[in-house]
Amino acid sequence: MMTRINQLPTLRVDPTKKVVFDYKGKDYVGAHGDTVATALYYNDVRIFGRSLKYHRPRGLYSLDGECSNTCMEIDGIPNVRTENTLVKQGMKVKEQNVKGSAENDMMGFIDKLDFMMPAGFYYKTMHKPASIWPVAMKQIRKAAGLGVLSPDFEMPGKFDQIFPSADVVVIGGGPAGMSAALASADKGLRVIIMESRPWLGGFFDYRTFDYRDENYKNNKQLYSRARELASKVESHANIRVFTHTSVVGTYTNNLVTGFQIGKDNDKFTERYIEIRANAVVVATGCIERPLIFENNERPGVMQVGCVHRLARTYGILAGERAVFSVGHDLGLEAAIDLFDLGMKILCVADVREDGQNPHLMIELAKRNIPYLKGWVAAEAKGGKRVKGVVMTTLDGTISRDFDCDLIVASAGFTPLNGPLTLAHAKLRYDSHTNFFVADKMPEKTHAAGRMLGLEDSLSIEASGVIAGLKAALDCKLMKESYGNSDVDALKSEIDATVAKQKELPGPARGSKFVTAPVKGRKSFICFDEDTTIKNIRQAIEMGFDVPELIKRFTSAGTGPGQGGIPGHNLPLYVAKYLAASGAPPKPTTVRAPLVPTLIATYAGSKHIMMKRTPMDDMQRADGGVFRKIGVWERARYFSDDFSCKKEIENVRNNVGMLDGSTLGKFRIHGPDALKVLQRVYVSDMSKVKLGRVKYSAMCNDDGCVIDDGVVIKLAENDYYFTTSTARAGATIEWLRYHTRFDGWDFYVVNLTDSMGVINLSGPNARKVLQKITSEDVSNSAFAFSGYKEFMVKDTIPVKAMRLGFVGELSYEFHVPSSYMVSLWNMLKDAGKEFNIQNFGVEAQNVLRMEKCHIILGQESEQRTNLLDLGLGFLWDRTKKDAKTVGAVALRQAENDPTRFRLVGFEMENNGRAARDGALIVDDKVRGYVCTARDSFTLNKAVGMALVESHLAKVGTRLEIFEDECGGERIYGTVVPMPFYDPDGTRMKS
Amino acid sequence: MSLTITCPICGKRNGYEFRFGGEDKGPRPDEDSLTPQRWCEYVHLNECVAGVQKEWWVHKDGCGSWFTIHRDTVMNVEVAKPEADR
Ligand SMILES: [Zn+2]
């Protein structure tokens, strides 16, 4: 265990609060505020994992999770970015992608086999001969990939989603972002600021003096300036702060998405945040551009910010003897500060020949730190961790060895402009800063801070103020929301601030240096995918000249780090290599999510919202076995015998009751109501008679059946109709869509939830009904297909229909939902003497199947038209003026011999029923089984199938193929439909 | 996801509340002398403009009305009605 520097004012950990966690089965102790990565480092862990391809040892590098080096399995979740995850009491942490341990990985030998795996290895090697692929695939799958997830893994934690809105969203909580947020908020706008680290402060948070200023000692230290800004932001009534929140996407219309990691007391582990704003400020700053040299990812090679933050934020000195190889002033500043904190610094090499700030060089000299201008690290020495470094001049002619345990390496900066490009900003290469900068900004979007190339602290803050004011102006110019107030004053304030900023230092010159003068066989441009500089060269020599394609071919930048490591170096290197072409560097495309995001976070909380019928409680109390069917929970069975023998026999021989409340129920009325029905129903709806029930169907423009149900005429241009359960939600939309050009006058009301339905079926149904009403319900007064309205007990208005879906004497009662339980109980009481029973959806399914009544979605799929189902008799061809939806297509399909036909079949030799969905085959697939069941009523297995028309003739033998039948076929024979009571005497009696 | 749509009744709302109803192709043609070809084109062929197109939307989680908007299909944003269409 290392010693922590406990007294720094910049610390973000509390060393007095111990956090005990488990790493590979042993207890480790970190401090409150540590990330898993810093806690492990504090406990002397140096090798965090092994790389994807070559199983090279990997360790801390950036401390912001830009590569998969430090991904580990935490509490069973693989690929957790330990640099971004706070350590918690009792956490279980494991290394991944190792055979043995990260320290001694048995796959480590692969690193020596790199010559066998050139760029595009998979594309070039794995396709011939084809027979090798299955073998190779198994081995590669075993060796490749990061992390292991068991198929029965259940994600622990609580996930949530929020959709806040704001006037201005500021992405990035550093000095520029905070200044922008304050500037907007002071103008009265509602601001949201998002920061990926757990605190506001950005790159001021761990810095002390800006030594570039001669009078630095008189200035406020940067961390303290950051905290001053942060407390202003946090206490501002107009600003909502989301820390530990990464932005994952930005979209047109100023929509910003991200996710937040919960703090100790938060009710969520992670939550998805989607913000709709009127203006956006992007102040995401920079990450460091990696310096490339031999073994540049050896544990012990770290970026400047990583080493500096380990010391200042976490109190950990990353090494005892350090060599710096950098290309920017922040590197020099870090060397000075770390020296003052007690680190031995052997030398500071700077790839820049000029342009360094002179005050920084004076400070280095004051501390006797050797400064090598025009030098660079060429090779890290040491097998599993850094033991030394070879330094060289830029042309590679002179070199010097150093014994050290830490190489602090950084070539330059990379602006984090992902949020801008995702929102469709166009990038342009700027040769002064060496950055890709946004050329054409998205509407109402402003950039600020370091990503513009600014390094001077005052200038960075000023740029934030300007962006914040401009965002405020964007909002105020939206008259409808803000009334156009103070616009002129705001404009002049912006002009004044811009003028003032011009007096401050502008964008700094950026280094173009990418790689040391080495062959590059072990010089890694992408850590996640183990892509070397040599691989990139191979790809270019094969003819690839666009970074986007080289990225695909070499897979550089396609790993979990989302291009954070190679994203900037790749285009720079390619442009330099192809310098003769004179083309400027071209960036690769950035896509959301900008940082790896858990699918669980996107999924949010598990809110299952199922609809329940008015009979729900009672059906459950009666022993109903419920299933999710569409948007509803319905009682599918009433015993644990899922063949429903008793329920079926009771309906056939006695009387049963079914809760049919899920049926779609509508009323349409108004002067043009009939016209609407004529448009959407295939039948001639003008023939619907008062007191009668009309069964019909709706088709889509292809003639395919989308719905069926009954229509009842209540009065002239006033109809009540039902739809199938599944279609209820889309029916009104459908009616309005197909009449959208006509300007017809009609009203349609969805009564699905306000009306319930009871189906009373069986030979004794009339006897039960007669006991609760004085209405004449005899067969002559209330015949099959009849409709009646009557009151029960002078209170309950009942719409009663005589239908025959299950093939028996049957009544359907439609009543207001609030009366459902009362009416149900009356019928139940009345039926007691007959031993009336519940029946569920599955019993109904078998009963109607025996009668060959179809259910859409079971006896049909998307391509099944009205004629295929044998329902052509519903279609009225004479109403052409109605422009009935589907009629044109039906006319065209009428004589088409290639269409399927719905047939009934029974199984051969008393065989069991084929499974629903089984295929009808010969040497080809010829159709499929829609529904088939062992029928207790008929004492044989029967079903319906959709088959090619040549198989539709009665007597045809059907060969049936079931999943996993192992070549064993079963057989059926086409028989006439319906199977049960073909004359319909039972349902009409 | 980022799309907003202006419903003629409810105003500018989140795109989640609406369902797309296809390109505007005008009312369904008369059935007399309609060839299968012409019908198929009406139902299934789309212009798929990379740019501004007039299209139908329904405010499914709102007032339920069908209406047309103009949308830039490249940027996926609603745009003002073009001059020619006014
Ligand atoms: Zn609306």
Side-chain angles (χ1 to χ4, degrees):
Chain A
M1 202 177 291
M2 309 174 71
T3 358
R4 242 190 244 266
I5 315 168
N6 284 341
Q7 301 306 323
L8 299 175
T10 49
L11 277 193
R12 290 288 183 179
V13 289
D14 182 351
T16 62
K17 283 193 199 156
K18 304 275 182 236
V19 177
V20 182
F21 65 104
D22 175 298
Y23 178 58
K24 297 200 290 183
K26 281 190 197 136
D27 278 354
Y28 283 65
V29 181
H32 186 266
D34 260 329
T35 64
V36 174
T38 59
L40 286 172
Y41 200 87
Y42 172 66
N43 284 278
D44 298 317
V45 174
R46 293 295 176 266
I47 302 176
F48 278 62
R50 291 277 172 162
S51 70
L52 178 75
K53 214 157 99 185
Y54 299 136
H55 285 253
R56 289 169 65 89
R58 294 281 164 83
L60 284 193
Y61 186 75
S62 77
L63 217 56
D64 265 328
E66 273 101 20
C67 57
S68 60
N69 279 11
T70 54
C71 284
M72 288 191 175
E73 183 182 306
I74 297 185
D75 294 336
I77 306 167
N79 295 320
V80 177
R81 300 182 305 152
T82 55
E83 294 170 324
N84 310 67
T85 307
L86 294 176
V87 73
K88 283 187 185 148
Q89 190 74 23
M91 233 175 200
K92 285 199 162 30
V93 181
K94 270 162 74 176
E95 61 204 0
Q96 57 187 31
N97 205 37
V98 295
K99 203 167 178 179
S101 70
E103 193 70 35
N104 292 302
D105 180 13
M106 286 186 276
M107 296 292 278
F109 69 92
I110 292 192
D111 191 23
K112 305 257 173 359
L113 304 182
D114 64 309
F115 64 92
M116 290 172 62
M117 293 185 253
F121 167 67
Y122 292 96
Y123 300 115
K124 297 199 318 193
T125 318
M126 291 302 167
H127 62 110
K128 327 184 245 212
S131 57
I132 199 170
W133 177 237
V135 183
M137 183 174 69
K138 262 190 194 161
Q139 292 310 314
I140 290 172
R141 288 227 168 120
K142 241 189 255 169
L146 288 179
V148 180
L149 193 59
S150 150
D152 51 15
F153 175 77
E154 275 217 30
M155 190 73 185
K158 278 188 177 164
F159 297 87
D160 199 5
Q161 306 165 304
I162 54 170
F163 298 81
S165 70
D167 296 320
V168 178
V169 168
V170 178
I171 306 174
M178 290 192 287
S179 304
L182 288 168
S184 286
D186 283 344
K187 297 295 165 203
L189 298 165
R190 296 170 309 132
V191 179
I192 285 178
I193 185 166
M194 305 167 86
E195 164 57 42
S196 59
R197 292 193 186 136
W199 50 80
L200 297 172
F203 89 135
F204 277 13
D205 188 71
Y206 57 91
R207 292 170 65 202
T208 54
F209 293 113
D210 190 347
Y211 299 98
R212 284 174 293 196
D213 188 337
E214 219 172 341
N215 300 316
Y216 70 85
K217 278 196 176 141
N218 303 325
N219 294 344
K220 184 169 285 220
Q221 297 194 43
L222 292 169
Y223 74 85
S224 119
R225 173 64 182 154
R227 285 171 198 206
E228 183 179 67
L229 283 170
S231 76
K232 273 188 195 162
V233 167
E234 280 155 359
S235 60
H236 203 297
N238 288 354
I239 305 180
R240 188 171 179 187
V241 180
F242 289 109
T243 49
H244 224 178
T245 303
S246 297
V247 168
V248 295
T250 53
Y251 303 85
T252 49
N253 280 326
N254 300 317
L255 187 86
V256 177
T257 63
F259 68 89
Q260 181 176 30
I261 297 169
K263 293 189 195 63
D264 289 344
N265 298 323
D266 282 329
K267 297 258 189 313
F268 55 90
T269 313
E270 278 191 26
R271 67 176 173 190
Y272 172 76
I273 303 178
E274 184 176 314
I275 306 166
R276 178 82 68 182
N278 286 326
V280 177
V281 173
V282 180
T284 37
C286 290
I287 54 173
E288 282 170 61
R289 193 162 57 74
L291 180 72
I292 301 177
F293 53 95
E294 290 290 273
N295 303 324
N296 59 323
E297 32 62 275
R298 190 64 84 216
V301 180
M302 292 182 200
Q303 290 188 321
V304 171
C306 178
V307 178
H308 206 173
R309 286 170 57 213
L310 268 179
R312 279 280 166 193
T313 308
Y314 300 98
I316 299 169
L317 279 188
E320 281 170 8
R321 298 161 59 82
V323 168
F324 277 60
S325 179
V326 297
H328 50 73
D329 281 354
L330 271 190
L332 308 187
E333 180 190 300
I336 294 162
D337 195 33
L338 287 161
F339 178 91
D340 292 349
L341 289 172
M343 191 181 277
K344 187 162 174 52
I345 294 168
L346 304 181
C347 74
V348 174
D350 194 334
V351 297
R352 297 172 297 175
E353 303 275 11
D354 54 28
Q356 301 86 347
N357 183 289
H359 299 290
L360 287 168
M361 292 166 68
I362 293 168
E363 295 297 324
L364 284 170
K366 272 193 207 162
R367 290 162 178 80
N368 288 323
I369 301 174
Y371 181 65
L372 306 174
K373 202 192 280 180
W375 282 64
V376 64
E379 185 184 356
K381 294 284 189 189
K384 286 180 188 163
R385 61 193 68 180
V386 165
K387 294 207 169 106
V389 60
V390 183
M391 302 298 288
T392 170
T393 49
L394 295 186
D395 57 8
T397 50
I398 312 170
S399 59
R400 256 181 83 183
D401 289 2
F402 291 86
D403 284 338
C404 62
D405 60 354
L406 179 67
I407 302 171
V408 185
S410 178
F413 296 115
T414 301
L416 283 171
N417 46 29
L420 293 174
T421 49
L422 285 185
H424 303 286
K426 290 281 168 283
L427 291 185
R428 168 179 62 81
Y429 177 70
D430 175 67
S431 59
H432 175 70
T433 52
N434 196 36
F435 284 4
F436 290 111
V437 295
D439 213 9
K440 190 170 167 282
M441 290 290 276
E443 258 184 76
K444 296 175 191 161
T445 302
H446 307 277
R450 284 177 82 198
M451 63 188 311
L452 302 175
L454 301 173
E455 286 187 5
D456 178 79
S457 45
L458 292 176
S459 190
I460 285 170
E461 285 185 37
S463 78
V465 173
I466 294 167
L469 292 176
K470 283 183 175 170
L473 180 63
D474 286 338
C475 294
K476 299 217 168 192
L477 284 173
M478 298 170 71
K479 276 190 204 146
E480 70 274 23
S481 315
Y482 305 95
N484 233 345
S485 56
D486 329 318
V487 165
D488 291 333
L490 193 49
K491 278 181 182 162
S492 28
E493 192 178 343
I494 292 171
D495 291 342
T497 321
V498 170
K500 236 196 268 164
Q501 197 215 15
K502 287 226 167 94
E503 290 162 20
L504 298 165
R509 201 174 81 191
S511 155
K512 293 176 173 50
F513 192 87
V514 176
T515 172
V518 289
K519 291 217 175 75
R521 187 177 146 190
K522 297 289 178 194
S523 298
F524 288 85
I525 191 166
C526 176
F527 303 166
D528 290 1
E529 300 289 326
D530 271 349
T531 316
T532 62
I533 277 293
K534 189 178 158 198
N535 294 148
I536 304 298
R537 265 202 317 265
Q538 285 169 336
I540 298 173
E541 276 153 21
M542 275 181 249
F544 289 97
D545 55 354
V546 180
E548 190 69 40
L549 297 177
I550 295 170
K551 171 179 162 182
R552 296 301 130 102
F553 190 63
T554 63
S555 68
T558 60
Q562 303 287 75
I565 296 292
H568 195 182
N569 272 337
L570 177 64
L572 292 183
Y573 183 77
V574 173
K576 198 180 167 206
Y577 198 83
L578 297 171
S581 76
K586 291 188 200 81
T588 53
T589 308
V590 174
R591 292 184 180 82
L594 290 172
V595 292
T597 311
L598 297 173
I599 299 211
T601 306
Y602 279 120
S605 50
K606 293 183 196 163
H607 36 61
I608 298 162
M609 292 183 287
M610 303 299 289
K611 281 167 73 165
R612 293 174 174 214
T613 75
M615 299 313 302
D616 193 88
D617 285 347
M618 222 170 126
Q619 298 251 296
R620 283 175 202 271
D622 287 351
V625 179
F626 276 65
R627 292 285 183 267
K628 296 183 173 77
I629 301 177
V631 296
W632 296 88
E633 279 195 22
R634 298 190 69 182
R636 185 157 177 196
Y637 315 98
F638 277 91
S639 74
D640 51 12
D641 169 23
F642 290 173
S643 74
C644 304
K645 188 164 192 280
K646 277 193 181 150
E647 293 170 50
I648 291 166
E649 286 173 349
N650 179 56
V651 173
R652 289 275 178 250
N653 304 321
N654 180 27
V655 58
M657 270 203 292
L658 171 103
D659 174 19
S661 302
T662 64
L663 213 59
K665 298 169 282 290
F666 296 87
R667 183 183 168 204
I668 183 167
H669 61 108
D672 296 316
L674 176 59
K675 286 187 192 158
V676 177
L677 298 181
Q678 291 286 45
R679 171 68 51 81
V680 296
Y681 279 107
V682 293
S683 312
D684 184 352
M685 305 314 283
S686 67
K687 291 183 182 157
V688 180
K689 291 193 200 79
L690 287 168
R692 302 286 294 165
V693 169
K694 167 85 180 159
Y695 171 75
S696 189
M698 297 189 205
C699 291
N700 64 16
D701 277 325
D702 295 322
C704 299
V705 194
I706 54 150
D707 198 10
D708 65 342
V710 298
V711 182
I712 287 143
K713 185 171 181 175
L714 303 171
E716 279 312 305
N717 275 315
D718 192 353
Y719 297 86
Y720 179 79
F721 65 96
T722 68
T723 71
S724 58
T725 299
R727 276 297 289 185
T731 296
I732 292 184
E733 187 183 319
W734 184 260
L735 265 50
R736 292 209 172 121
Y737 179 78
H738 286 288
T739 57
R740 68 198 189 283
F741 288 103
D742 299 285
W744 287 341
D745 189 0
F746 67 96
Y747 307 89
V748 52
V749 191
N750 187 342
L751 301 169
T752 303
D753 296 339
S754 55
M755 301 281 282
V757 173
I758 300 170
N759 184 288
L760 179 72
S761 295
N764 287 326
R766 183 176 296 116
K767 290 181 202 155
V768 175
L769 177 59
Q770 270 164 344
K771 289 182 70 178
I772 65 156
T773 178
S774 52
E775 189 81 14
D776 182 0
V777 293
S778 65
N779 201 29
S780 51
F782 192 13
F784 180 71
S785 261
Y787 172 74
K788 256 184 191 301
E789 289 177 11
F790 52 81
M791 301 291 276
V792 169
K793 301 247 179 207
D794 296 328
T795 314
I796 307 178
V798 177
K799 291 178 180 336
M801 307 166 197
R802 261 204 69 185
L803 302 173
F805 194 46
V806 299
E808 300 296 336
L809 167 64
S810 178
Y811 299 93
E812 199 167 280
F813 307 116
H814 293 224
V815 291
S817 291
S818 51
Y819 288 122
M820 274 291 283
V821 173
S822 310
L823 185 64
W824 185 281
N825 279 329
M826 286 177 206
L827 288 165
K828 199 172 162 186
D829 282 350
K832 229 172 220 162
E833 60 178 284
F834 308 102
N835 195 21
I836 194 168
Q837 298 292 330
N838 284 305
F839 67 106
V841 181
E842 173 58 20
Q844 183 194 40
N845 184 33
V846 179
L847 290 160
R848 64 90 205 173
M849 188 273 297
E850 291 167 346
K851 188 70 183 144
C852 291
H853 287 150
I854 60 150
I855 292 181
L856 292 175
Q858 271 180 245
E859 275 66 52
S860 72
E861 37 97 2
Q862 285 183 328
R863 297 165 299 175
T864 312
N865 75 21
L866 192 73
L867 309 170
D868 301 347
L869 292 175
L871 295 176
F873 65 92
L874 294 175
W875 173 32
D876 184 291
R877 293 142 209 260
T878 62
K879 46 167 198 153
K880 282 190 181 174
D881 291 341
K883 293 188 180 178
T884 302
V885 182
V888 177
L890 286 175
R891 214 167 285 133
Q892 289 166 14
E894 212 162 4
N895 299 310
D896 183 349
T898 66
R899 299 204 58 91
F900 277 8
R901 288 275 174 274
L902 186 71
V903 297
F905 67 93
E906 58 183 52
M907 300 305 293
E908 260 182 28
N909 304 326
N910 276 325
R912 63 164 175 88
R915 269 179 249 149
D916 294 357
L919 299 176
I920 311 291
V921 296
D922 46 26
D923 56 334
K924 273 187 182 160
V925 176
R926 301 291 180 189
Y928 70 96
V929 173
C930 302
T931 313
R933 294 286 185 276
D934 297 321
S935 163
F936 306 112
T937 315
L938 306 163
N939 225 350
K940 58 188 173 190
V942 291
M944 286 184 278
L946 277 163
V947 296
E948 290 184 7
S949 54
H950 68 93
L951 296 176
K953 231 175 96 186
V954 169
T956 311
R957 193 172 191 230
L958 300 177
E959 184 179 343
I960 301 170
F961 172 95
E962 293 181 321
D963 269 356
E964 293 156 13
C965 62
E968 285 285 307
R969 304 279 197 272
I970 50 177
Y971 294 88
T973 311
V974 175
V975 296
M977 298 195 283
F979 315 124
Y980 178 73
D981 187 27
D983 305 326
T985 41
R986 293 182 70 90
M987 67 180 184
K988 289 176 188 164
S989 63
Chain B
M1 180 167 71
S2 64
L3 184 66
T4 56
I5 288 174
T6 311
C7 169
I9 293 173
C10 313
K12 182 171 153 183
R13 309 283 307 167
N14 206 316
Y16 289 131
E17 296 177 10
F18 300 83
R19 178 153 37 227
F20 185 54
E23 295 175 5
D24 179 44
K25 304 180 197 174
R28 48 186 58 231
D30 282 330
E31 293 186 16
D32 284 325
S33 73
L34 188 61
T35 61
Q37 182 70 26
R38 166 88 185 83
W39 175 249
C40 219
E41 282 172 11
Y42 174 75
V43 175
H44 293 296
L45 285 192
N46 292 295
E47 297 290 334
C48 300
V49 178
V52 175
Q53 74 175 16
K54 186 180 179 188
E55 58 193 24
W56 286 91
W57 288 84
V58 61
H59 198 182
K60 69 176 166 75
D61 297 340
C63 62
S65 43
W66 279 99
F67 56 90
T68 55
I69 61 161
H70 288 80
R71 184 175 61 99
D72 179 346
T73 60
V74 178
M75 297 299 285
N76 194 28
V77 284
E78 185 184 356
V79 295
K81 198 185 240 189
E83 210 56 57
D85 242 315
R86 275 179 211 178

